[in-house]
Amino acid sequence: MRSGAAIRVCQKIFRCVFSSFGGRVDEGQPERWTERCSLEEHLGPHAETLADAEAEAEARAEALLELCQKRHFLSGAPPQLSRDSLLSGCHPGFGPLGVELRKNLAAEWWSSMAAFREQVFAVDALHHQPGPTPPADTAFEFVSAETLREILQDKDMSKEQLVACLENLVKTSGKLRKNLLHGALEHYVNCLDLVNRRLPYGLAQIGVCFHPVSDTEQILNGVKRIGEKTEASLVWFTSPRTSSQWLDFWLRHRLLWWRKFAMSPSNFSSSDCQDEEGRKGSRLYYNFPWGKEPIETLWHLGDQELLLMYPENTSKLHGRDGRKNVVPSVLSVNGDLDSGVLAYLHDSLQLADNSFARKNTLHRKVCQGLFNELLENGISVWPGYQDTVHSSMEQLYSRYDEMSVLFTILITETTLENGLVHLRSRDTTMKEMIHIAKLKDFLTKYISTAKNV
């Protein structure tokens, strides 16, 4: 299934699965202690209410995860399967239905960003980047366990020699990729000939990336867990003259794309951001029940990334901007497909809540309001809406006829839209449509006429 309908089908499957799971599931997480204390100071007597709401959200979140695991959207079980583990990419993985939804999401991304754009080309890169690693780099080093074991078991080396040997091994072993940017930059020069060196053009790639998980419990002293995420990346090379316009274009495009498949589009939003080096960009968020989480990031990287990768000869980096030869600015559009899957699953679940629980609540309020209005005008009413025994309409009509109920009022889904109700007469068994605002006057007039006969 490689179409927009494919994602909607998966969402409908998810909503059907949750049709018996009443209410909106607000998955929450306790705040940090300092933040919590600050909130309690400001909220005062309402802090207890906040605590109860958080406890309820946490309980419902656990129920949601359990149901996702049971219905094969997610794999694993608590404590490995949790909200934090899903967001950090340090979880057992998606189940068969979750994998299918992610595959459909990736296919739609590729169709939108690469397949139908002449100036975008597909590339691929190694998960392992060979070569020396800068000291400040936080990427995971790829070291052979056998080589490391041999070095540690060599008793002839002194402590200084052992440290030097290990440092050299780490520096030359390479690293696992944290994102897909490096692979695209490596293909820039070769792919430039495909467009006759004309700017702009882009390189697209989908793949798994690795990152240290800092918000989980460390396994050993200084050793952190490895998080994995499936990312979709477009690296766009454009003239510095038009780079800002292109950044705005891709921001609008990506926000509309995420909203296109959503049942609650307003939950997707964007905001500006800036990194430690002062480079500007934008982040796209999904508003989960516990708060906003990023699902895609756009960066304006300038030309520094290319110049660092090709320091020996900048002339081969030149692309054509009209009649000028320029070193292009690099725009990075990087989406997290795993977080996108979670966003659409929650979006589908909210639809089940909005279309079922909310309508039931409105129906009950309409019935209660009509019940009170008729009683206030001296009309005896039987509160049939409080009956919890499931019966067919014919069984209900027969029952109310036996109870000598003169008229039966039926409120349906269309009542919420146009205000019309079904009015059935016991004597004639005929049903007619009447507006709910005219119901009281009709019954009062009928009763008055009957008294005069």
Side-chain angles (χ1 to χ4, degrees), residues 67-361:
L67 195 55
C68 284
Q69 188 273 337
K70 182 179 179 180
R71 301 303 184 188
H72 306 290
F73 282 94
L74 300 172
S75 297
Q80 291 82 12
L81 182 62
S82 65
R83 187 193 80 182
D84 291 336
S85 66
L86 289 172
L87 293 175
S88 64
C90 192
H91 60 93
F94 289 100
L97 294 183
V99 171
E100 285 296 321
L101 181 55
R102 184 176 61 184
K103 184 174 67 174
N104 291 337
L105 191 62
E108 283 297 321
W109 185 94
W110 194 264
S111 176
S112 174
M113 301 292 285
F116 299 104
R117 297 183 184 274
E118 296 180 354
Q119 69 274 43
V120 176
F121 305 99
V123 295
D124 196 10
L126 298 175
H127 291 71
H128 170 241
Q129 300 175 4
T133 303
D137 200 330
T138 59
F140 281 100
E141 307 292 335
F142 192 79
V143 179
S144 169
E146 184 63 27
T147 302
L148 184 60
R149 191 177 297 110
E150 291 177 357
I151 295 175
L152 295 176
Q153 292 177 350
D154 190 350
K155 298 181 180 181
D156 296 333
M157 286 194 297
S158 64
K159 181 179 179 180
E160 291 75 13
Q161 291 175 329
L162 178 61
V163 171
C165 187
L166 290 175
E167 288 181 349
N168 182 65
L169 176 64
V170 170
K171 290 179 181 178
T172 58
S173 61
K175 59 184 178 180
L176 293 175
R177 65 184 183 188
K178 295 190 297 183
N179 53 57
L180 303 176
L181 174 63
H182 186 272
L185 296 179
E186 287 182 334
H187 288 83
Y188 167 74
V189 174
N190 291 334
C191 294
L192 193 58
D193 293 333
L194 294 176
V195 291
N196 197 25
R197 309 190 74 83
R198 186 185 300 275
L199 300 175
Y201 86 97
L203 300 177
Q205 183 181 2
I206 296 178
V208 178
C209 298
F210 308 86
H211 59 275
V213 180
S214 58
D215 58 345
T216 60
E217 184 178 353
Q218 294 185 355
I219 303 175
L220 196 60
N221 295 335
V223 180
K224 297 182 179 181
R225 299 179 185 272
I226 299 179
E228 299 183 17
K229 289 187 177 182
T230 302
E231 297 186 353
S233 169
L234 172 69
V235 180
W236 189 251
F237 304 97
T238 179
S239 164
R241 179 177 56 87
T242 59
S243 58
S244 297
Q245 292 92 322
W246 275 112
L247 184 63
D248 293 338
F249 167 81
W250 286 118
L251 175 60
R252 291 192 301 270
H253 178 277
R254 299 307 303 147
L255 185 58
L256 290 174
W257 185 86
W258 284 106
R259 288 177 171 177
K260 178 172 65 172
F261 305 109
M263 298 304 170
S264 299
S266 60
N267 281 331
F268 291 92
S269 60
S270 66
S271 66
D272 296 333
C273 59
Q274 189 171 337
D275 65 6
E276 297 176 353
E277 300 178 12
R279 296 180 296 192
K280 297 182 179 180
S282 298
R283 283 195 178 94
L284 302 183
Y285 296 91
Y286 179 78
N287 188 21
F288 288 92
W290 60 83
K292 293 183 178 181
E293 298 288 350
I295 57 173
E296 189 158 8
T297 307
L298 297 85
W299 288 111
H300 189 306
L301 301 176
D303 58 5
Q304 293 301 313
E305 299 292 338
L306 279 175
L307 294 176
L308 289 174
M309 179 159 292
Y310 301 96
E312 68 282 353
N313 185 7
T314 59
S315 61
K316 64 181 180 181
L317 301 178
H318 287 168
R320 289 194 299 145
D321 176 28
R323 296 182 179 181
K324 295 182 179 180
N325 291 326
V326 296
V327 176
S329 290
V330 178
L331 305 182
S332 173
V333 182
N334 195 61
D336 185 347
L337 296 183
D338 292 347
S339 295
V341 169
L342 296 178
Y344 283 127
L345 291 181
H346 279 277
D347 178 73
S348 300
L349 180 61
Q350 291 170 12
L351 178 65
D353 166 63
N354 291 336
S355 61
F356 182 75
R358 184 171 59 86
K359 285 185 178 180
N360 276 357
T361 302

Side-chain angles (χ1 to χ4, degrees), residues 402-422:
E402 294 171 358
M403 294 170 59
S404 296
V405 175
L406 191 58
F407 289 100
T408 301
I409 303 170
L410 178 62
I411 295 176
T412 65
E413 291 186 1
T414 57
T415 304
L416 302 178
E417 300 175 1
N418 53 27
L420 297 177
V421 299
H422 294 268

